[in-house]
Amino acid sequence: MAQPSRKNDTIEIQIAGERVTPLCEGALWWADQEMLVVSDLHLEKGSSYAARGQLLPPYDTETTLNQVEALCQTFRPQIVLSLGDSFHDRGAEIRLPEAATVRIQALTDAHDWVWVEGNHDPDPPKHLGGRAMKTLKLGALTFRHEPEGQTGEVAGHLHPAAKVRARGRSVRRRCFATDGERLVLPAMGAFTGGLNVRSGAFSKVFPDGFMAFVLGAGRIFALREKQLIPDEQHASVWRL
């Protein structure tokens, strides 16, 4: 398993020989390709829940777009790849506030924007710009929404989260999971949940173990699998 290298508060890791940088916001930066990767934005999840009677603050899309725009301003990517489940359901792009539509169109105009097909949003949002693909192959890496465990694969879908115990209490945070040959990104959406990386879904992707790169306040923490703890057995089942 490839060891990460750290420079100040930035960690660089290798996936199938390609050097990438996990970011505290939950995005991935690939400097050699000038590409920013975000995953599982689940835009308009709040309005989807509200339509079913579960009222949530209607600010998830705004919050998530704020993060994406800030990252684009910082890194000035040539390519922005949204790795599936960019929208929470098929009707989400229609429910988008006009201001959010304009912001997304500005992003897709400014960058080579790629929408990767997800299980929540199989239809490409044509009026928002960008181009839609099922998978994207670049260098040694293959980008898709649902992980299949292939070498060089970068995926989302599972919403990885790591749980650790320290000083008598447990802390749970979103994380990247990788074994040096493949990687799963955390969900970036404001209202997205997380699946514990010690669950069986991840052992299928990483049969020989993995490392978790946990999102902290202003830095990424690298933890080995044995340092992580599973959720309590009585915890409710989280659905993808």
Side-chain angles (χ1 to χ4, degrees), residues 70-226:
L71 287 168
C72 287
Q73 290 172 5
T74 298
F75 291 93
R76 304 292 182 181
Q78 175 67 28
I79 306 170
V80 179
L81 179 68
S82 189
L83 201 54
D85 285 3
S86 304
F87 301 89
H88 187 64
D89 56 42
R90 290 175 181 268
E93 61 190 81
I94 299 172
R95 298 194 308 274
L96 276 173
E98 183 178 354
T101 297
V102 170
R103 292 172 71 182
I104 294 171
Q105 289 170 337
L107 286 168
T108 59
D109 285 344
H111 310 278
D112 179 9
W113 190 284
V114 180
W115 305 100
V116 169
E117 179 180 298
N119 59 298
H120 280 251
D121 54 0
D123 298 322
K126 294 180 180 179
H127 72 287
L128 295 177
R131 53 194 176 107
M133 304 182 71
K134 292 183 180 295
T135 61
L136 174 66
K137 294 185 178 181
L138 196 58
L141 303 183
T142 299
F143 297 86
R144 61 167 52 92
H145 180 61
E146 296 189 38
E148 298 178 0
Q150 296 179 1
T151 298
E153 180 180 79
V154 178
H157 182 61
L158 293 179
H159 301 197
K163 187 175 182 180
V164 296
R165 184 174 287 119
R167 299 179 182 177
R169 66 187 186 95
S170 61
V171 178
R172 200 174 192 273
R173 294 286 187 272
R174 292 180 299 152
C175 70
F176 297 82
T178 181
D179 60 359
E181 295 297 330
R182 52 198 67 81
L183 179 141
V184 179
L185 274 76
M188 197 171 171
F191 285 166
T192 51
L195 180 65
N196 193 301
V197 288
R198 293 294 302 274
S199 77
F202 290 94
S203 62
K204 296 176 183 178
V205 182
F206 308 111
D208 298 321
F210 62 89
M211 288 189 69
F213 292 86
V214 183
L215 311 189
R219 64 177 295 184
I220 297 283
F221 296 88
L223 298 175
R224 297 189 178 278
E225 183 179 3
K226 64 182 180 181

